[in-house]
Amino acid sequence: MTTSTLNHVAYVLRGNLVTAAAAAGTALLIAVAILGPWITPYDPIASNVSIALQPPSFAHWAGTDQLGRDIASRIIAATRLDLLIAASAVSLSFVVGALIGSLCGYHGGRVDRWIGRVVDILMAFPLFVLAMAMVAALGNRVENIIYATALINLPFYIRFARAEVNVRRNLGWVEAARASGNSHFQVVTHFLLPNILPAMAVQISLNLGWAILNAAGLSFIGLGVQPPTPEWGIMVAEGARHITTGKWWLVAFPGLALMLAVLCFNLLGDGLRDILDPRMRT
Amino acid sequence: MTTLASISRRTGTRFVSSLPALLGVVVFTFILMRVLPGDPAVFFASGPNAGKAEIEEVRRLMGLDQPLLYQLALYLRDIATGNLGRSLTTGQPVLADIQQRLPASLELTFTALVLALTLALPLGIAAALNPGKLVDHAVRFACTLGVCVPTFVSGLLLIYAFYYLLGWAPDPTGRLDIFAQAPPRITGFLLIDSLIARDGTTGLAAASQLILPAATMALFVLAPLARMTRASMLAVLGSDFIRTADAMGLSRARVVGVYALRNAMLPVLTIAGIVFSTMLGANVLVEKVFSWPGVASYALDALLASDYAPVQGFVLLMASIFVVVNLTIDVLYGIADPRIGIE
Amino acid sequence: SADAQTRAETLRQVTANTINTLDPTMAGATREAFGLSMNVYDRLVAFTRKPRGNGYIFEKDKLRGELAESYTVSPDGLKFTFKLKRDAKFHDGTPVTADDVKWSLDRHVSSKSLAASQLATGSLTKPEQFKVIDPYTFEVTLDKPDRFALPNLAIVYAIVFNSKLAKSKATPDDPWAQGWLKDNTAGSGAYTIETFKLGEQIVLKRNEEWTGGIDGKPAPFKRIIMQTVPEAATRASLVEKGDADISIDLAASDVLSLESKGRLKIVSTPQFNAFSLIAFNTKAPPFDNVKVRQAIAAALPYGDLFKAAIFQRGQPLYQGKWASAPETSDFPQAMPVQQDLARAKALLAEAGFANGFETTFSFNVGSAAVSEPIAALTKEALAKIGIKVDVQKVPDAQMSTFINEKKVPFFLEASIAWLPSTDYFFRVFFTGPQRWNYSSWDNAEIASLTDQARFELDPARYDTQTRRMIALAAAEVPAILLWQPNQDAVMAPAIEGYTYWFHRQVDFRDLARKGS
Amino acid sequence: MTGEATINAAPLLEIENLDVTFATRAGPIDAVRGVSLAVARGEILGIVGESGSGKSVTALAIMRLLDRAGRITGGSIRFRGIDITKLGTTDLRNLRGAALAMIFQNPRSCLNPIRTVGDQIADTLRAHRPLSRSAAKARALDLLAGVLIREPEKRISAYPHELSGGMCQRVMMAMAMACEPDLLIADEPTTGLDVTTQKAVMDQLAALVRERGMAMMLITHDLGLAAQYCDRVAVMQQGLVVETAAPAVVFSAPSHPYTRRLVAASPTPTSTVASLSAEGTAESRAAHPHDINSGNPKGVIPGLVPGTHGAAAEVSAIVAPWVPAINAGMTPVELDQRGTLLVPLTPPPLMTVANLVMRYDRDITAVAGVSFDIGAGESVGLVGESGSGKSTIARIVCRLIDPTTGTIRFDGADIGAMPASTFHKATQRADIQIVFQDPGDSLNPRFSAFDSIADPLRRLKGLRDGMALRTRVLECATRCGLGPELIARFPHQLSGGQRARVGIARAIATQPKLLILDEPTAALDVSVQAIILQLLDRLRREQGMAYLFVSHDLNVIRMMCERTIVLKQGAIVEQGQSAVLFTAPTDPYTQGLIAAIPHFEPGSATPPSAGRRRLG
Ligand SMILES: Nc1ncnc2c1ncn2[C@@H]1O[C@H](COP(=O)(O)OP(=O)(O)OP(=O)(O)O)[C@@H](O)[C@H]1O
Ligand SMILES: Nc1ncnc2c1ncn2[C@@H]1O[C@H](COP(=O)(O)OP(=O)(O)OP(=O)(O)O)[C@@H](O)[C@H]1O
Ligand SMILES: [Mg+2]
Ligand SMILES: [Mg+2]
């Protein structure tokens, strides 16, 4: 079973170099996130004002920032937090959204209509403003950024899951599952949800990227993670202001990290669908 | 005839059924704004010597001394009479502010959407016609690059390159060169207004101001549009009726352009609608970077200042636009797809 | 060409914020609105200016007539008599008379606006104090001699309206025409408003009738464009490319880089009436303990803060060379604090926090560019003496609320006094339950000293009183003064006459383009 | 006639040694291997064969419309002497539609849903002829009239969804005929059509082919259809043409074993379960080596079935193979006699359904007061036209949905009183199981066969993962003819017949007393159907289960059930012993149903086609 799964993954990756590259990139990111504290050349939050704003050099290959902190170390240290934000925000909205959505799609009726209303309300919100308001209301801590990001993605997951389940709920195997003694809830969690997963994988991977960008956007208007915690979005947002003064390294390196992450997630999404879809296994 | 009737009936019901959502949005925003810990009265009574009395006065002026439910009732009554309150940041009625600023946002978003679509459609089609080939990967990669960069960064980079370094773009400060004469305001859309006024110079000036921010936004939404186009083109190209068209010997151009594209456009239409409304709300950052006098940056400033009325007004506006856009898409869909309406 | 000619006669300023009202006395008026009112309206009197470096700076103690041709002060200091200029006219052509002055000042002290509380600091509180002697003679009476009475007539709020016009717009609900004046002007100043696009830009046109300029001439620039450009980097590019003529809202890093390129004129003035400070909530533990405050004052890396936050563009208010008695009675002045971690640890131990404690350090989003480095360095420094600091970046409106409700224990603020004098600073920033007493400092001696000094006419006694206040502040450390940041005005090399004013805005009446 | 003259001329289309290969991730699939065929003008060539034998691929290869993955790897296709496999795209486009046309299987999905049918026909015309827009419209109108569409002026501006399946089929025909092609390829042109429409469409096609002296390739899995309309029939198996001859020859004296098997597997009014697929497939034989067909009747598991039902069925099954199939009408009589003899011995019923009424929203009465019994170990058939409420009854009885009113007693308990939403907790859940209509659709795509079969055991028998579960699953699987190598596969890796067996294994896993079969073979081709029917028949005898067997195929019901209920619009019009009912239906509705069955009689010496063909 597991070897066949591995074989299948290997097959998908072999057949699609772009996906393989994205997978490698993602693996690298995860490794950096795990190893973060041990592989930073310098303490990411230790300042040394005497060497502030130095361009990339041998000692500081990504240069230093306004407080003389090593940018490379900060980028590495930020990986964990950024992946954490992205992963938790997305899994939160995915788990909650998929569950609500599929229950609605499965049951239909009044509950569905009511939840549909609530989702409509959420969808009708200018979502970025909603995220800002939430973070502003709850305080800009990491958890709240995650909640806000999760909330603004929620309606899409609900809709998506609802639609996907809706087309499947009358399929034979759903009825067969009932006949086999599964309760409605079990049908949803054991049968329907796993089946809509491949389709949602794409959405998930896209959202991983967007979650980081969303955090970056919040940082840009000052509602990001609290300083001096390193976070790509904040670093990019702050660095962007130095573009005209020629201190390009302030934005270039964190920007590259952000780009790498978003790019990997996005490209991985398509591959993920292939990996998750048993129909692609032969 | 009957299709028209059924479309309008559908539109009607859709509209009515979206009213509760609008009400929900209003109430939710109202509560959310009150939950914000910032007290606008304190913020706005900010003269160098404002004391308790001034703060209380502002509070009374804003009606903040009343019980919450009563405030909500008043607010709902005001909305019903078309009064969205007054912004403390600008000192103007919110409705007037929005009327002033909405065309700017709409013009920017429309341009960006058109720009994005004119890029995304050919790219998506090219990718769909060569799935798994180099073109496909290149399109996917290029589009994804657009999504990787936060809009405020790409905006600043574009400004740096095209204004600061190359000097090709006019200074990125709003909708019209400061020394240019704005055309008489009719629609509020500068491009249209200058067209009406037959003022080519102004139109050109407005267009050149528009191009960078629109490109910034377009870059960001290119990916979803192109991907959707690709996916739906692929699905349609694989469907039976395309094979039929091929079997009947129709020309390639006709098969791709008429048979495939028209069918593939339906889901793209839906996505374009969603993209349009999210862009309108999410272009805060672009508006900030380009000093664009739109509604989103207006709402952002108000939000940071805990200025309730503009934020509430903005959210209501966005929600209404969302509803209208959805309705429009619905109608377009109904016209484009004869199957709709018979459920 | 004509275009170039127009451009040469136009001044384009780019600002970070917007003008939100044409009536500066309205609640919520922005600093830019204050600056605008100086150019559109006239007041009875104005501060004078003196050269400083490559620009000018206002003189807080020297006044001249603006609408007043001359003024006299009665020997007991209770009566001011103003002779108005005969040729002064409002923009609609009506002459400026004492009736207009009376109506305006009555409005300032009686309407619900920001003006009343400000004018009260100069003992101007009720309409009965204002009297029209004849159309061109006006009298102000005080109950007590007040040093601030006259300066208060020169500040932003003390503008003179065209009372006929304003009254015609008044309604029973709005007797002072506040609603109308917010969107319209009724002044006699050097400029009139040509177009006003809220939140975007305002275009001013020179009032050719105005004669308050140099040699009794109108203002040098024909047109002024004030444009809001929220992005700091963009403002810098605009000035650098010559598309904008002046900006006073550039990021310190941009100013530094523009300075190094040397192509623009930069007038840097330490804001001697302003200061940045780190405040404690002295009402609640642990900061109610003076030892804790002293310990923190001894732990901060002032030099690094100064360098990292504002690139040393300002006047330090630390490392004062005195110990217990200040050398001058000026305030703010450099206080006797410096980094000494051993002392900080000892003090903390004495205070009973040998193992440190946890607290939060807050600042507002709007000031992030400057505040974030300070927060990061503070956090780092305090960690060395065992204090764990959680940094909180708070949206501006929330920060105002928190400060007003005394909800934040330890935070960064910057403030300004329009009428800088030592007792005024202490009265406003270190006494009473008001919002500006950031540290909620409640010291009986300071309270009585400020009361005495306010009406003290004897300079020597005033000097003693104020020195005592400064010494007390140094000993008790209700807050840690950091510096007075520079006002960096970056402008095209040809722009001359830039003056640093108490309201920190550009006064267009001063400016001229060399060679035109 | 012209038709006769051109048949003997040089062939219009000549395929020689055609190889088509699909590149898949599992390696290349040789879908067509060295096929050689020829069609002459005026001739109708039938291609038959089981699913996946390469019929459609051959047709698509002729049109050069193969899927991206497919390639013609060898051989030639000569059309009017030109080798199509070597043509450039432009030449191909000129040929397609004009000289070569194809009618696809599912007419509705083959028409552009957002373009009027008139426009689509006009598009085809204008692609090949320099016609003005209005001229093309006019011509399209003629064409629509030509395919007997009523009120063509109205229909010309209709969208496909506004037309019935049969009309869409005819629009397709009009399109294909628009430029008067020389060769028409019709790939299963009548699947999805009811029998009467099928006949109308086919007659029309045949007439057009004759009239215009064109040639046609008719691809079908329906031997009856091929026999009726074709001049020659090619039988395909696994990418090879195994036999080509006139239908009379192929069906009466098949020379190739595969053809024999195909002919045998097609149910006729006289066939029995055992007689179907006399040789079985290798797979089915491997699965149950002691199959009755191999002459080693296994008999009833002792003690499971009281009474003689099982024995009766068994006897008939054993007897059947020796009954000469050609001797029509004899077997039913025998069965009839046995049936009437056996009925009085019926023990108290296992399930009693009384006054069942089911109303859906919008006042659709799907079931209008139905009452019936099912005895223990009895097999009851449920027949009726589409929409008569068969599936609804099946699902109600299986307690998957609640009826509007009515009682259902099962094994002494009033299970009708238990709501369907909580019935999964009832003790009877394990006793009533169902096999669903579409085997592919009823398996969770993300469950392996093992998981699917294990699911009811886990849920209803409380078996946790482990040896016990594994043993039980394997046992059920083996019993249904699923080897251990198939058990780990996902549905998409299984053939239709294998999927059907997984569905059956799942249903019998809990050893239910009543098994409901809702058209269990409707989606399968005849050879697989034969295997499944035999399996079901054997299982019943081994396990003594009662069946409620829903099917629209009366031949199948006749073979599988002792008793049959005929439904019409939700009400029972007739019920009784199958043997009686099928030989002497009393109700006109039942008579109509039986008459409409397309019968294929392998024994009839002369195919009826020759006469009927000209009726068109
Ligand atoms: N696109 C494809 N990719 C891979 N294999 C294919 C493809 N299309 C057809 N095949 C394979 O080619 C073989 C022949 O398929 P074909 O469609 O011709 O069968 P058929 O005889 O038409 O069957 P049916 O009666 O079910 O339509 C099958 O084994 C099928 O799996
Ligand atoms: N969920 C439902 N809602 C409304 N009507 C339904 C529903 N399910 C079935 N019907 C209607 O009930 C009637 C009987 O349907 P049912 O599926 O039982 O027919 P059937 O005999 O199984 O037909 P077929 O042979 O086509 O499967 C039909 O008219 C059908 O349209
Ligand atoms: Mg086929
Ligand atoms: Mg059915």
Side-chain angles (χ1 to χ4, degrees), chain A residues 170, chain D residues 358-367 382-395 401 437 518-519 550-552 567 569-570:
Chain A
N170 289 322
Chain D
M358 182 68 192
R359 260 191 295 277
Y360 287 111
D361 312 332
R362 280 177 280 155
D363 275 352
I364 296 171
T365 305
V367 180
L382 194 56
V383 300
E385 65 183 356
S386 181
S388 54
K390 304 183 295 292
S391 298
T392 307
I393 292 177
R395 289 161 74 220
I401 54 173
Q437 175 164 358
D518 189 0
E519 314 203 8
V550 179
S551 180
H552 63 271
L567 272 184
Q569 290 169 11

Side-chain angles (χ1 to χ4, degrees), chain C residues 55 67 130 193 219 296 343 416:
Chain C
L67 277 177
F130 310 123
I193 288 171
I296 289 176
R343 190 173 112 82
I416 184 175

Side-chain angles (χ1 to χ4, degrees), chain B residues 252-303:
Chain B
R252 187 79 188 142
R254 198 159 185 81
V255 172
V256 173
V258 177
Y259 277 63
L261 192 58
R262 285 206 194 151
N263 283 278
M265 280 326 286
L266 295 175
V268 176
L269 199 62
T270 315
I271 286 284
I274 294 180
V275 161
F276 180 78
S277 9
T278 29
M279 258 157 98
L280 252 189
N283 56 18
V284 185
L285 304 177
V286 179
E287 289 187 359
K288 276 273 160 219
V289 168
F290 289 91
S291 322
W292 202 259
V295 278
S297 57
Y298 169 69
L300 172 66
D301 291 338
L303 182 72

